[in-house]
Every structure is written in structure tokens, then in C-alpha cells.
Amino acid sequence: MEENHFKFTNAVVGVPLFFVLFLWFVYWLEIRFGFDFVENGIMPRTFTGLQGVIFSPFIHSNLEHLYNNSIPLLVLLAALLFFYRKEALGIIVYGILLSGIITWLIGRANYHIGASSLIYVLVSFIFFKGIQTQYYRLVALSLTVVVLYGGMVWYVFPKIDETISWEGHLSGLIAGLALTFCYKKSEFKKTIKYDWERPDYDPLEDKFMQRFDENGNFVNLPEPEVEEEIQIEKHSFFSSHSNVVYEYIDKKSSDTIKSDVDRAEDNEE
């Protein structure tokens, strides 16, 4: 796993904060101008109800509903953007669409609204993806999600609370699990730092492991065999067997010979 994959950026804080503020802005519009956006939620198995697949996560029935969804969204979106930075946008968009479609198919004949389906998408994806990768940081994140939001699993069953959309919760759980199989993360495999971590590692060829016997005792390596050096006969570039005779000529004799040579050249001219 490359450590630089987990990189803190402004988006880790900015995107969750903007998303939650937008939910509060929509609710403010509804209160301030007397709009009723509930009818823009998911009405299962009706054509007009399909609009809720897109709009339902941004609509909330009351202030308590909005507040209960805001804190988990801030935490889970920040975790998603930090640990799954490249996949975050796809998980959010496809998670909303997929969970909305499933809710439209299996939901009761009531309007289903709220961002809780997205929360279940994030919880499901982060938990199951961390278990699948078996990377220690993501497994730790999965366990943290279980500790914080493990109790939410009870709200995917019917008749626990008739006032909530258990269908939306169940749809989010299914959508998050499905998305874990759509995003394959080879980067999450453990990075090989040492030769003995490689699958083709052979300890018999390891110089360090050769210093130990079968019982684990330290032994000296056998002395390497010294190859005999081959003597190559070197020949000089020029060779001769003729005797060379040197004669000593003093300076006066040399000057006399030089003068005779000069006179002879003058006579020839």
C-alpha cells in the first residue's frame, strides 16, 4: 500500500461541510418560503416518484431529522474522502442513485425522504471494503465505524420503528455492499519492502540466510575457491635479435663532422 494514498487535503473537510450546509439551506428554503418538498421524495413504483431517487437525500421532514443526519454525514464523508479519495465521488453519486432505485422498488406506498440512505451507503461501503482489503488502516476504520454506528443495523428491519424508512436504510446497506465489488483496489495490497516478502523468495539463495544452519545456528560461509591466474606472456611491440653497437663521439669530433658535411653540401651545389 502506498502511504501517499492517504493524504489530507482541504476537500476532506470542505466537501462534507458544504454538503451538510446545502442540506440545511434546502431546509431553510422550505421553512422560509413555505415550500413542501416532501412530494419530491421517493414514491415507490410510480413514475413521478422516480424524481425522489435524486432529490430525496436533500429533503428532511423536520429539524430533528436533519440534525440526526448531519453529524454522521460529516464524519463518514470526511473518512471516505481521506481513505478513498479517488473513489469518493463515484461512491456518493452511485450510492444515491442505487439506493434510491432499490427503495423505489421495495418501499411502502409512502414518500421516502432524508439522507439516511446515503449514510447507510457510506457505513456499508467503508465497513465491507476495509474487511475485503485486509489493509490494517482500513480494517481499523471498519472497526471504528462499527463502534460508532453499529447500532444502526437494527433499523434495516421492518417494524422496529414505523416512522422511519427502513426500506431506505436497507437499500443503502445493499448499495454500499454492491459498490465494494465495483471498485477494485490493487493499491491496498501490502507493499513489498523486503526480499523475503516476495512469493518467489528462496531462502537457499539468500546470502544472509546462508549464514545459518538447519538448527538456526550462526555459521561462517565456506571460503570461496580462488581461481588460478593464467599468466599471459607479454611481448614487446617490436622485437629484434640484432646486436646494437654504440660509439662515443666527443663534442669536438661532432663539430668537425658537422662542418665536413656542410662543406660537402656546398660543393654539390
Side-chain angles (χ1 to χ4, degrees):
M1 176 68 198
E2 297 180 358
E3 296 295 333
N4 58 3
H5 180 87
F6 302 136
K7 184 179 180 180
F8 182 84
T9 61
N10 294 333
V12 175
V13 176
V15 172
L17 188 61
F18 175 81
F19 190 90
V20 172
L21 287 177
F22 183 75
L23 298 184
W24 283 84
F25 175 74
V26 172
Y27 184 74
W28 177 81
L29 289 177
E30 191 173 11
I31 299 301
R32 176 67 177 80
F33 298 100
F35 295 134
D36 186 8
F37 294 142
V38 174
E39 295 182 356
N40 298 106
I42 299 175
M43 176 58 75
R45 296 173 298 281
T46 63
F47 180 75
T48 56
L50 282 173
Q51 65 177 328
V53 172
I54 299 175
F55 297 131
S56 63
F58 307 98
I59 306 170
H60 293 82
S61 58
N62 52 52
L63 190 62
E64 182 182 3
H65 187 200
L66 177 59
Y67 175 78
N68 290 335
N69 286 341
S70 296
I71 303 302
L73 279 174
L74 285 173
V75 175
L76 294 170
L77 285 174
L80 181 72
L81 288 163
F82 182 78
F83 290 96
Y84 301 94
R85 173 169 44 90
K86 296 180 180 179
E87 300 80 16
L89 179 61
I91 293 167
I92 295 171
V93 174
Y94 294 130
I96 291 174
L97 296 178
L98 185 57
S99 63
I101 292 173
I102 297 175
T103 303
W104 185 83
L105 292 173
I106 69 174
R108 292 166 290 176
N110 293 317
Y111 286 107
H112 297 259
I113 59 175
S116 56
S117 59
L118 177 59
I119 293 174
Y120 275 81
V121 169
L122 298 176
V123 170
S124 177
F125 179 87
I126 292 173
F127 173 75
F128 289 110
K129 192 61 180 177
I131 300 301
Q132 291 173 11
T133 57
Q134 298 181 358
Y135 183 66
Y136 71 99
R137 288 191 175 184
L138 300 181
V139 172
L141 178 64
S142 298
L143 297 178
T144 303
V145 168
V146 170
V147 172
L148 294 177
Y149 304 109
M152 294 171 53
V153 70
W154 298 109
Y155 295 99
V156 302
F157 300 106
K159 297 182 179 180
I160 298 296
D161 188 348
E162 295 293 340
T163 63
I164 65 174
S165 175
W166 64 267
E167 298 95 332
H169 298 170
L170 179 61
S171 300
L173 187 68
I174 295 173
L177 177 60
L179 288 173
T180 61
F181 297 102
C182 297
Y183 289 91
K184 302 295 183 182
K185 293 299 299 177
S186 57
E187 293 90 348
F188 290 149
K189 295 180 180 179
K190 185 177 180 181
T191 303
I192 296 177
K193 296 182 179 180
Y194 307 102
D195 291 337
W196 50 266
E197 294 179 324
R198 300 182 183 277
D200 58 346
Y201 171 72
D202 185 3
L204 298 178
E205 297 180 358
D206 192 329
K207 296 296 184 181
F208 178 76
M209 295 300 296
Q210 293 175 1
R211 304 300 298 267
F212 299 89
D213 59 14
E214 298 178 353
N215 299 323
N217 298 319
F218 184 82
V219 296
N220 292 322
L221 290 175
E223 296 182 1
E225 297 181 359
V226 179
E227 297 182 359
E228 295 182 0
E229 297 183 359
I230 301 176
Q231 298 292 335
I232 300 176
E233 186 178 357
K234 297 182 180 179
H235 298 280
S236 59
F237 191 79
F238 298 101
S239 60
S240 176
H241 297 287
S242 302
N243 295 326
V244 179
V245 179
Y246 296 94
E247 293 183 0
Y248 173 76
I249 301 175
D250 57 9
K251 184 178 179 182
K252 294 182 178 180
S253 301
S254 176
D255 294 339
T256 303
I257 294 173
K258 184 177 180 181
S259 300
D260 296 340
V261 171
D262 292 339
R263 284 195 297 270
E265 289 178 354
D266 293 337
N267 294 332
E268 290 179 358
E269 293 178 358

